[in-house]
Amino acid sequence: MLEPFAKPFYITQPLLPDIDEFNEMLKVIWASKQLSNNGNMVKQLERNLSDFLNADYLSVFSNGTVALQLACKVLRLSGEVITTPFTFAATAHSLVWNNIKPVFCDIEEDSYNINPDLIEPLITENTTAIMPVHVFGNPCKVEIIQQIADKYGLKVLYDAAHAFGVKVDGKPISDFGDISMFSFHATKIYHTIEGGALTFKDPHFKERADSLRNFGIRSLENVMEPGTNGKLNEIQAAVGILLLKQVEEEIKARQEITNLYRQILNDIPGITTSKDMDAISHNYSYFVIKVNKDEYGHSRDELFDKLMEYNIIARKYFYPLCSNFPCYMNLPSSSKLTLPIANKVADMVLSLPLHGRMQKNDVEKICAIIKAIHED
Ligand SMILES: Cc1ncc(COP(=O)(O)O)c(C=O)c1O
């Protein structure tokens, strides 16, 4: 048997800013005596992110979930919103927190994204929007989704939590839809420890989002609507400013790790690795395999458990499906009969460790262990 890793090898490791540069930023914040409430660091971060992402307008928030909840308010969504079950809980939850009913649509087997061919039959007189997710940073079929939205007068709110820096035909991912949400959680390729952003094409949307993240306050004596506290603070904004300088290098490093994984794992029967999509600049934020039990000799769950024995902490993103959570399983759209691909894929996928500081021999060892488990 191959030796397990001496310490847990986690699914990812956060990118960290240079500690001396961070100290310099802290000195600036200390001197300003302002820690929150839209200070200079937050304003600087919003400018830098708008440039980096090529976004018309952008606002940062305390986390991606709050950003998504507020995006629903900004777009005045109500009734029903069509989304995917193959995503993190926050996607559907942000709808329910706005008294909106999630309507789950099945996914494509190759991209894991919402299948646009199945959206139209789910549209009713109560539908106000489509909320697709660029799962694992792979862009949805953005043009087709927009055509459907235009035909029925629906808004499109993208959960782009995983898609930081992704481009489609050279266009930034935030060019598509009415609003896109990016998560800046520490597990994401780019982060502010906790945090998130919305990108907008309409300046009025930014104005309203900025007010909603600050309790709905428009001016000192004018509270327009019941907002919440969704503000990012100055210290986290400083982390974001510094990490923006490192993210391109991180993407490059992850691309190399991804290619090495693919090269080795493609020779193991029953393991399918993801492929780069045509005309897409990927961000390599996740490395996902599909396990075919008959060919590999073990199910995804068995492989997950065995990897644990070797101290390799993989993740079953996204199992269970949102449609199978106790809080959503009774929705009419949660039936396994109407979500066959999502239910099948959720039992097969496994995300393997990936971050820019991984060494070639880490990847080789993880792959050798996956091979040994197959041959066992
Ligand atoms: C697809 C998706 N949507 C929404 C979120 C919520 O983002 P946050 O953790 O920043 O609240 C996450 C992530 O963590 C996510 O993966």
Side-chain angles (χ1 to χ4, degrees):
M1 179 172 152
L2 288 155
E3 279 296 306
F5 281 90
K7 287 189 290 182
F9 204 105
Y10 290 108
I11 180 79
T12 194
Q13 194 187 81
L15 198 56
L16 288 170
D18 178 85
I19 192 79
D20 295 324
E21 281 192 73
F22 185 51
N23 266 328
E24 291 308 311
M25 298 287 261
L26 288 180
K27 285 182 197 161
V28 176
I29 296 170
W30 261 232
S32 79
K33 310 272 187 288
Q34 181 170 9
L35 300 180
S36 189
N37 287 2
N38 207 21
N40 286 335
M41 290 291 170
V42 161
K43 286 182 192 147
Q44 183 68 49
L45 177 63
E46 288 188 343
R47 282 194 296 271
N48 294 4
L49 281 169
S50 300
D51 287 348
F52 189 91
L53 294 174
N54 229 319
D56 295 334
Y57 304 96
L58 177 146
S59 299
V60 294
F61 298 85
S62 50
N63 59 66
T65 305
V66 162
L68 214 45
Q69 288 170 359
L70 294 183
C72 295
K73 292 235 181 293
V74 168
L75 294 174
R76 300 190 195 281
L77 306 187
S78 61
E80 298 173 4
V81 169
I82 297 169
T83 188
T84 168
F86 192 78
T87 182
F88 185 61
T91 312
H93 288 356
S94 66
L95 295 171
V96 174
W97 276 64
N98 278 286
N99 288 321
I100 296 166
K101 186 162 147 192
V103 175
F104 295 116
C105 178
D106 208 6
I107 61 169
E108 299 176 320
E109 187 145 9
D110 49 353
S111 72
Y112 310 135
N113 287 331
I114 194 165
N115 184 339
D117 295 340
L118 303 175
I119 292 176
E120 279 194 74
L122 297 173
I123 297 174
T124 71
E125 58 185 19
N126 298 321
T127 310
T128 53
I130 308 168
M131 193 203 253
V133 182
H134 301 300
V135 180
F136 305 134
N138 292 325
C140 296
K141 297 228 163 79
V142 287
E143 305 287 358
I144 305 176
I145 290 171
Q146 195 58 54
Q147 280 164 16
I148 299 168
D150 291 344
K151 183 170 164 191
Y152 292 90
L154 305 176
K155 296 279 193 263
V156 181
L157 168 54
Y158 277 108
D159 180 337
H162 304 166
F164 188 84
V166 170
K167 292 195 179 116
V168 181
D169 273 331
K171 287 191 207 151
I173 194 78
S174 57
D175 264 19
F176 305 97
D178 294 281
I179 297 183
S180 295
M181 182 284 287
F182 298 89
S183 165
F184 299 158
H185 184 260
T187 53
K188 300 293 188 280
I189 188 142
Y190 166 79
H191 71 91
T192 55
I193 307 175
E194 291 272 0
L198 295 178
T199 55
F200 319 91
K201 286 184 222 128
D202 183 338
H204 298 109
F205 285 173
K206 174 173 168 61
E207 201 184 333
R208 188 138 172 261
D210 286 352
S211 155
L212 282 166
R213 76 177 171 190
N214 188 30
F215 313 100
I217 297 172
R218 278 291 167 103
S219 62
L220 270 183
E221 297 184 6
N222 183 5
V223 180
M224 283 287 283
E225 57 183 325
T228 188
N229 184 351
K231 288 172 279 135
L232 191 69
N233 64 58
E234 290 291 280
I235 296 175
Q236 286 175 246
V239 171
I241 291 169
L242 292 176
L243 289 185
L244 205 45
K245 297 195 281 182
Q246 292 171 223
V247 67
E248 277 173 331
E249 209 179 303
E250 175 71 10
I251 291 173
K252 251 188 236 140
R254 288 185 185 215
Q255 180 176 14
E256 279 172 27
I257 304 281
T258 299
N259 285 336
L260 184 58
Y261 261 134
R262 285 173 175 163
Q263 204 184 312
I264 310 177
L265 291 178
N266 281 342
D267 287 340
I268 305 178
I271 300 291
T272 310
T273 63
S274 59
K275 294 180 188 62
D276 284 355
M277 294 161 78
D278 285 345
I280 304 300
S281 303
H282 290 277
N283 66 3
Y284 303 96
S285 47
Y286 295 85
F287 182 73
V288 184
I289 59 170
K290 238 194 281 187
V291 184
N292 178 320
K293 183 180 178 188
D294 294 338
E295 292 169 28
Y296 180 68
H298 298 276
S299 68
R300 185 279 310 274
D301 288 347
E302 287 162 357
L303 174 58
F304 173 85
D305 291 343
K306 284 184 185 290
L307 289 176
M308 280 286 199
E309 291 169 19
Y310 286 93
N311 244 340
I312 300 168
I313 320 298
R315 287 289 189 157
K316 300 177 193 178
Y317 298 140
F318 285 102
Y319 171 89
L321 296 175
C322 291
S323 49
N324 293 332
F325 293 168
C327 52
Y328 298 133
M329 64 195 297
N330 292 324
L331 288 173
S333 64
S334 291
S335 164
K336 289 192 174 151
L337 295 174
T338 52
L339 303 170
I341 306 298
N343 277 282
K344 177 175 139 192
V345 162
D347 287 340
M348 295 176 79
V349 281
L350 193 62
S351 291
L352 298 180
L354 177 63
H355 60 78
R357 272 105 14 248
M358 272 176 83
Q359 299 298 307
K360 195 168 171 252
N361 58 356
D362 296 325
V363 181
E364 286 166 347
K365 181 164 171 170
I366 293 170
C367 294
I369 289 169
I370 293 173
K371 190 157 188 251
I373 294 169
H374 160 66
E375 287 167 353
D376 192 11

